[in-house]
């Protein structure tokens, strides 16, 4: 039943929004919505999240211009909050497109356990994209000292592994996210 409901909502949304249609990542968001809503309610919530004040639809639009903008913003926010880590990542040619795509495309529904994902979504529905930047910074800053010691070959896989590690303590990652 779950996969059928997911398919139904995504199929209707793709028909409703023919410019965006279906994009990878939408399934994770829709699956989260289906945990709380009927198919029809999940569809309308998806429409609200995509087209309403959250403008998530712009992340998926052809050309991915808002997604590219979010990467640019994240890179500069990291440089503001931790210039040393930002410079190290730049020197190692590690850019947000290499590690943060799923953060923005799925609003952490792909990379975080359910308990943390729903908490992030609670904040997302209240504050919008700010929470993605906060959690992203918290992921990197929580392992800053270790990341600064690594070179490209080890750095990128380690950033991805850190995401899994920080997810094991949702309270800690949220404290870090809101400490700056």
């Amino acid at each position: 039943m779950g996969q059928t409901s997911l398919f139904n909502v995504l199929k209707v949304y793709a028909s409703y929004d023919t410019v965006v249609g279906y994009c990878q990542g939408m399934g994770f968001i829709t699956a989260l919505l289906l945990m709380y809503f009927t198919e029809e309610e999940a569809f309308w919530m998806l429409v609200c999240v995509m087209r309403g004040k959250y403008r998530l639809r712009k992340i998926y639009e052809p050309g991915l211009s808002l997604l590219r903008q979010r990467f640019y913003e994240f890179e500069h926010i990291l440089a503001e909050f931790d210039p040393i880590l930002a410079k190290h990542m730049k020197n190692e040619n590690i850019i947000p497109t290499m590690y943060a795509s799923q953060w923005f495309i799925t609003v952490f529904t792909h990379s975080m356990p359910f308990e943390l994902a729903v908490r992030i979504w609670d904040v997302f529905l209240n504050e919008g994209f700010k929470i993605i930047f906060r959690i992203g910074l918290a992921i990197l800053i929580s392992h800053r000292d270790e990341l600064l010691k690594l070179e490209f070959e080890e750095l990128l896989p380690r950033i991805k592994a850190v995401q899994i590690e920080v997810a094991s303590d949702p309270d800690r990652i949220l404290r870090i996210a809101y400490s700056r």
Side-chain angles (χ1 to χ4, degrees):
M1 171 126 175
Q3 286 183 335
T4 302
S5 293
L6 181 62
F7 174 79
N8 290 341
V9 173
L10 292 171
K11 182 178 176 186
V12 171
Y13 185 82
S15 297
Y16 176 83
D17 185 347
T18 56
V19 172
V20 170
Y22 167 77
C23 295
Q24 262 187 323
M26 295 168 100
F28 294 100
I29 293 168
T30 305
L32 179 71
L33 295 173
L34 284 167
M35 299 289 286
Y36 296 95
F37 301 109
T38 65
E39 283 183 24
E40 183 178 355
E41 293 166 335
F43 166 76
W44 288 113
M45 278 296 298
L46 183 61
V47 169
C48 288
V49 167
M50 296 292 273
R51 292 182 169 264
K53 75 176 192 176
Y54 312 106
R55 299 181 326 127
L56 195 55
R57 177 184 188 275
K58 296 224 176 258
I59 289 280
Y60 300 106
E61 283 182 348
L64 308 171
S65 61
L66 184 60
L67 182 59
R68 288 194 318 264
Q69 177 184 328
R70 295 299 184 213
F71 292 147
Y72 174 83
E73 292 167 347
F74 185 78
E75 197 167 30
H76 285 81
I77 290 170
L78 177 60
E80 182 180 322
F81 279 90
D82 194 331
I84 294 169
L85 181 57
K87 184 177 181 187
H88 175 66
M89 292 178 71
K90 186 174 185 169
N91 290 342
E92 294 300 324
N93 296 309
I94 302 288
I95 56 175
T97 57
M98 301 168 101
Y99 60 86
S101 297
Q102 291 298 325
W103 300 353
F104 289 99
I105 291 172
T106 71
V107 189
F108 288 105
T109 56
H110 175 261
S111 57
M112 295 295 175
F114 183 76
E115 177 189 351
L116 182 53
V118 295
R119 291 173 73 180
I120 291 169
W121 266 81
D122 282 345
V123 178
F124 177 75
L125 292 173
N126 185 42
E127 295 181 0
F129 279 99
K130 249 193 265 184
I131 188 64
I132 302 172
F133 294 108
R134 288 180 186 271
I135 296 294
L137 285 173
I139 288 169
L140 298 177
I141 290 170
S142 68
H143 286 69
R144 174 189 194 274
D145 294 339
E146 178 187 359
L147 296 176
L148 286 171
K149 296 174 186 171
L150 301 176
E151 294 180 1
F152 179 85
E153 296 79 20
E154 300 166 313
L155 185 56
L156 189 57
R158 187 64 189 129
I159 292 170
K160 292 180 179 186
V162 164
Q163 295 176 54
I164 296 165
E165 291 172 21
V166 299
S168 67
D169 191 352
D171 291 330
R172 178 176 177 265
I173 196 68
L174 288 167
R175 268 193 313 277
I176 295 168
Y178 280 92
S179 68
R180 297 179 176 246

